[in-house]
Amino acid sequence: MSSAQSLSANFYSSSCPNVLSVIKTAVNSAVNKEARMGASLLRLHFHDCFGCDASVLLDDTSNFTGEKTAGPNSGSLRGFDVIDTIKTQVESSCAGVVSCADILAVAARDSVVKLGGSSWTVLLGRRDSTTASLSAANNNIPAPTLNLSGLISSFSNKGLTTREMVALSGSHTIGQARCTTFRNRLYNEANINASFATSVKANCPQSGGNNNLSPLDTTPTSFDNVYFKNLQSQKGLLHSDQQLFNGGSTNSIVNTYSSNSATFFTDFANAMVKMGNLSPLTGTNGQIRKNCRKTN
């Protein structure tokens, strides 16, 4: 039986009734300051799941290596300071009650809404891990180099369907990626729009500029279905993006989402709920961290 069944939408209704408004206000403020932060907060939640236990927030200590230096995270995960700010505000309202894992899950939802996506009900009651796994972060987070079969199996291993994988990949409708993650596609792949490749190469040379950023779709601060339209014209930035529309089994899903943003929004919301409920720590497992960066 999934422990997600002990999560509930009203988990904090008596213990911390204003927690959702505190998080929403802080997220809106952070995204107003920097629109890209919405994508960064969504990505933090993604990289915390599969598990959704705030393990990704733990700093390294002298006897413990966390997940921040894992390949998919190092130099690219951001927004930790925003989570710290939210945690401080939540603690002043109701100390020791709300987990960092729940803050991440709600902040991800609020970021999507702020950038124009639709809302969903986040089930709450996760607890925070007291440990993290560098190897799990290195092995479980789907790499931008994956082919379609690798993407399908990576999500399938976590109980997510191919359609849910495509919907969740739609999170790349917001945000930016570093040159190092797509350079090989730019210079070595054929299934890429020529003028698009030329324009992106201007900011991603064959050597150097590893951390130069390019938008993941042509409207990187709007949560919309343009990501899927871009795939149809071979303007996927990452190898793994274009794999979703490359003559394979997922072409039809991309076509559906491209022509109907409402279907994409609904599927994305449902997949986010499912992902957020993957084997969370509940009950007496884990703890409620006072500081999201370290165990109590």
Side-chain angles (χ1 to χ4, degrees):
M1 185 170 98
S2 162
S3 54
Q5 286 169 349
S6 52
L7 299 181
S8 82
N10 305 313
F11 190 82
Y12 298 112
S13 58
S14 55
S15 60
C16 194
N18 68 337
V19 63
L20 293 180
S21 62
V22 170
I23 297 174
K24 182 177 182 178
T25 301
V27 168
N28 287 349
S29 167
V31 176
N32 282 337
K33 272 189 211 138
E34 184 200 10
R36 183 187 173 206
M37 188 54 70
S40 300
L41 293 173
L42 177 59
R43 188 160 177 258
L44 265 186
H45 178 51
F46 264 96
H47 284 224
D48 185 41
C49 302
F50 306 127
C52 309
D53 56 6
S55 58
V56 75
L57 301 177
L58 289 170
D59 285 339
D60 294 354
T61 65
S62 54
N63 52 11
F64 167 88
T65 303
E67 299 169 14
K68 290 182 178 178
T69 54
N73 297 339
S74 180
S76 70
L77 274 192
R78 55 201 298 278
F80 297 109
D81 50 334
V82 175
I83 299 299
D84 290 340
T85 298
I86 296 172
K87 179 64 173 172
T88 301
Q89 293 173 356
V90 170
E91 284 293 302
S92 66
S93 287
C94 25
V97 172
V98 180
S99 69
C100 300
D102 278 345
I103 289 173
L104 276 181
V106 175
R109 188 267 315 272
D110 290 349
S111 294
V112 169
V113 172
K114 174 69 174 167
L115 293 176
S118 58
S119 190
W120 60 90
T121 300
V122 179
L123 299 180
L124 301 165
R126 296 169 192 78
R127 289 168 66 83
D128 298 325
S129 67
T130 53
T131 183
S133 172
L134 181 69
S135 64
N138 275 322
N139 295 321
N140 289 348
I141 296 170
T145 51
L146 285 180
N147 291 334
L148 181 59
S149 59
L151 289 166
I152 290 172
S153 61
S154 176
F155 280 76
S156 170
N157 288 341
K158 299 298 176 183
L160 294 161
T161 67
T162 298
R163 189 178 177 100
E164 286 165 339
M165 179 273 289
V166 177
L168 290 171
S169 297
S171 62
H172 286 174
T173 181
I174 53 174
Q176 305 184 68
R178 297 181 302 151
C179 170
T180 183
T181 61
F182 56 82
R183 174 185 284 123
N184 187 62
R185 167 158 166 73
L186 274 190
Y187 291 95
N188 297 309
E189 295 185 8
N191 62 342
I192 187 167
N193 178 285
S195 59
F196 170 72
T198 300
S199 66
V200 179
K201 283 176 181 175
N203 199 37
C204 184
Q206 278 189 283
S207 65
N210 281 355
N211 292 321
N212 291 357
L213 298 170
S214 288
L216 283 158
D217 90 350
T218 47
T219 56
T221 58
S222 294
F223 196 95
D224 51 32
N225 66 340
V226 169
Y227 167 80
F228 298 105
K229 295 177 191 281
N230 288 164
L231 297 184
Q232 289 176 314
S233 49
Q234 296 193 315
K235 294 177 184 173
L237 185 65
L238 305 178
H239 174 80
S240 55
D241 289 329
Q242 197 59 56
Q243 283 290 297
L244 302 181
F245 194 83
N246 195 41
S249 61
T250 51
N251 272 33
S252 59
I253 308 172
V254 171
N255 286 334
T256 297
Y257 292 160
S258 172
S259 62
N260 193 326
S261 61
T263 302
F264 163 52
F265 280 12
T266 299
D267 285 2
F268 182 81
N270 290 336
M272 286 297 291
V273 171
K274 186 170 170 182
M275 185 186 74
N277 298 350
L278 292 173
S279 57
L281 297 172
T282 56
T284 54
N285 294 317
Q287 60 182 209
I288 304 296
R289 281 188 225 141
K290 296 182 181 70
N291 176 338
C292 290
R293 293 174 181 264
K294 59 187 189 199
T295 57
N296 296 341

